[in-house]
Structure formats: structure tokens, C-alpha cells
Amino acid sequence: MPAKPEPQHNHLLAALSPDVQSRLFPYLELVPLPLRALLYESRRPMRHVYFPTDSIVSLQYMMENGASTAISVVGNEGLLGITLFLGGESTPSRSMVQSAGFAYRLPRLQVKQEFNRHGQLLMLMLRYTQALITQISQTAVCNRQHSIDQQLCRWLLLSMDRLSHNHLTMTQDFISNMLGVRRESVTQAALNLQQRGVISYSRGLIKVLDRPKLETLSCECYSVVKKETDLLLDYLPQRHVITNPDTIPTATLPTL
């Protein structure tokens, strides 16, 4: 029987000092997150913040016609519910579990009380929010500028970064819903990756066989998000942390 996830399996919670943990951990509640479960619905009151331990949740924007597109993914690097500590009580997007597992949830009262101490939790949450904004912004660019094959590679890499294994249980219908594209396009993109020996796909199970090649086939959007995440979330383990921001390549704009 799998061991019960601990709060420290979420890297943001693990990065908190013992003092902050002693104030928050007694209020944490472990909850299972089955595939496709909805944590937040659009415009509904938010009562908890969720800290995934071994699950992945996608933030999706719903159109009036029922179509949806994932705008970001959240796993054990952070939390769901940034709206609560930014001053809102609801969000225009919805949150759906894309990889089943567990999360610890914290009532909004305890989140706000600790956030208003202007201490460590505030700083970690703001840095995480900046990393999340980068991911959302880059997703918008990627969906407009890059091929379905590249989008699928980016999405697989972001998912793998938030898991301790190399496989996802997911149907092509679900992937097409996440990317906001036709199922046939996802089928062809997955077939292309399988023929290159990058992934194997069978009965809803995707296994990443060659991660370096997957990174090569992905567009620049993944590396942009990863660099910003590594720079801001220096508490994450097993990552190449950028200690000197001056080493990040930049472009010189012409003088007007």
C-alpha cells in the first residue's frame, strides 16, 4: 500500500520555516484528487488553497460554447488558489485534475492570516505567482505561434517536471481538450512522437522514452518557463538553479 503523502512532499510547504509550518500544518487536510475532478469552478467562491503532493492540476479557461483550453499546470512545485491571497474570492478559470494523486488543502482564513504577517509565506507565494504568470503568458504565445507537435512536447515536459515518474494516464480526447485543438491533431502529433521513439502511447498511457529528444523537439516556450521557474523557485530540488541572472541571454533593442 503506498505511503501516505506528507505535507513536505509539496516543495513550497517544505521550504517554509519550522515556525510557519507549526502555524499552518495543524490546519492542513489531505484530500484525494481523482482524474478530472474539479477543484475550482469559474466564478464560484474559493474556500481553500490546494498544495499538490503527487498530482497535477490544470487551470482551464472555459468559453461560452463549452470549449476549453489549459492555460497552465500546477503540481508539487506550488499551489492552487492564488486569487485568495491576491484579493479575490473567485476566478474566471476552472481547475481540473489532469494526473490523479493527492493534495493538502488549507482553509482560506489561515492562508490570509499567514499571508498578512508579511513574512516568508508572502514572499514564496508572490515568487510562485510570478512564475505562474510566466507560464500562462508563454502558453498564450505558444498556442498562437507553434505547431501542435511542439505544443504537445511543451505540455508533456511541464507535466514530467511535476511527477516522479515518466508516464501519464490520459486519453487523446482529454489532451485535445487541454490544448484546445481537434482530437485528430493530437492523434497525429502523438503518432509523430511515437514514430521518433520519443514516447509510447497505448490505451491512454503515455510513457516518455527519450526526454532529451523531447526537449529538442519542443519549442522555446518550455525553456523560457523552466528558466524563470528555476530562477524564482530556488527551493525546488534537482533543478539547475540560475544563481546569476546576468547569464540569461538578452536582446538589445534598437534605439528609437
Side-chain angles (χ1 to χ4, degrees):
M1 185 173 183
K4 170 185 171 184
E6 298 295 332
Q8 290 85 350
H9 290 163
N10 177 278
H11 300 309
L12 193 153
L13 289 177
L16 295 172
S17 68
D19 284 347
V20 179
Q21 290 181 354
S22 67
R23 289 193 294 268
L24 295 182
F25 280 20
Y27 297 97
L28 290 174
E29 177 189 1
L30 181 65
V31 292
L33 300 185
L35 185 65
R36 300 195 182 214
L38 292 177
L39 302 187
Y40 301 130
E41 282 276 24
S42 175
R43 302 302 181 187
R44 299 284 182 86
M46 303 168 69
R47 305 185 185 281
H48 297 87
V49 165
Y50 291 83
F51 298 88
T53 57
D54 56 353
S55 57
I56 302 178
V57 182
S58 69
L59 276 62
Q60 302 181 354
Y61 188 83
M62 294 292 298
M63 304 297 291
E64 290 182 356
N65 63 1
S68 65
T69 301
I71 56 178
S72 65
V73 292
V74 177
N76 59 11
E77 85 288 357
L79 68 141
L80 291 116
I82 63 172
T83 304
L84 277 178
F85 59 84
L86 292 179
E89 297 293 332
S90 65
T91 174
S93 61
R94 71 175 186 178
S95 301
M96 177 183 285
V97 178
Q98 76 167 49
S99 182
F102 289 85
Y104 279 90
R105 68 182 187 183
L106 188 66
R108 62 183 178 185
L109 177 60
Q110 278 65 43
V111 175
K112 290 183 177 181
Q113 285 179 344
E114 188 62 37
F115 189 82
N116 290 334
R117 288 176 178 268
H118 300 283
Q120 187 186 31
L121 184 66
L122 179 145
M123 294 306 301
L124 287 177
M125 284 184 161
L126 290 181
R127 290 170 72 88
Y128 174 72
T129 299
Q130 184 177 340
L132 189 63
I133 289 173
T134 298
Q135 186 187 155
I136 293 172
S137 302
Q138 207 65 37
T139 297
V141 173
C142 190
N143 290 349
R144 176 66 176 172
Q145 299 295 334
H146 296 135
S147 68
I148 302 300
D149 293 48
Q150 291 173 313
Q151 292 179 46
L152 179 58
C153 291
R154 169 186 56 82
W155 177 74
L156 287 174
L157 287 166
L158 289 174
S159 298
M160 292 299 103
D161 284 347
R162 290 154 178 80
L163 293 172
S164 58
H165 47 75
N166 70 334
H167 58 270
L168 288 167
T169 303
M170 201 152 308
T171 65
Q172 292 184 4
D173 282 335
F174 192 79
I175 298 172
S176 65
N177 184 28
M178 301 284 292
L179 297 179
V181 298
R182 295 169 61 247
R183 183 185 184 279
E184 293 78 8
S185 299
V186 172
T187 300
Q188 186 59 53
L191 180 61
N192 292 341
L193 290 178
Q194 186 161 255
Q195 289 175 342
R196 289 170 175 259
V198 179
I199 67 170
S200 66
Y201 182 83
S202 177
R203 298 181 180 179
L205 178 64
I206 300 176
K207 290 185 179 180
V208 175
L209 306 176
D210 191 339
R211 171 152 185 154
K213 195 168 185 178
L214 185 65
E215 293 185 10
T216 301
L217 293 173
S218 180
C219 53
E220 65 201 70
C221 297
Y222 170 70
S223 62
V224 169
V225 173
K226 186 178 186 302
K227 285 180 180 179
E228 188 73 357
T229 301
D230 289 346
L231 178 64
L232 292 167
L233 309 185
D234 56 4
Y235 56 77
L236 293 176
Q238 299 178 349
R239 285 179 178 264
H240 172 65
V241 178
I242 300 174
T243 56
N244 180 12
D246 293 335
T247 63
I248 300 175
T250 58
T252 303
L253 299 178
T255 304
L256 298 178

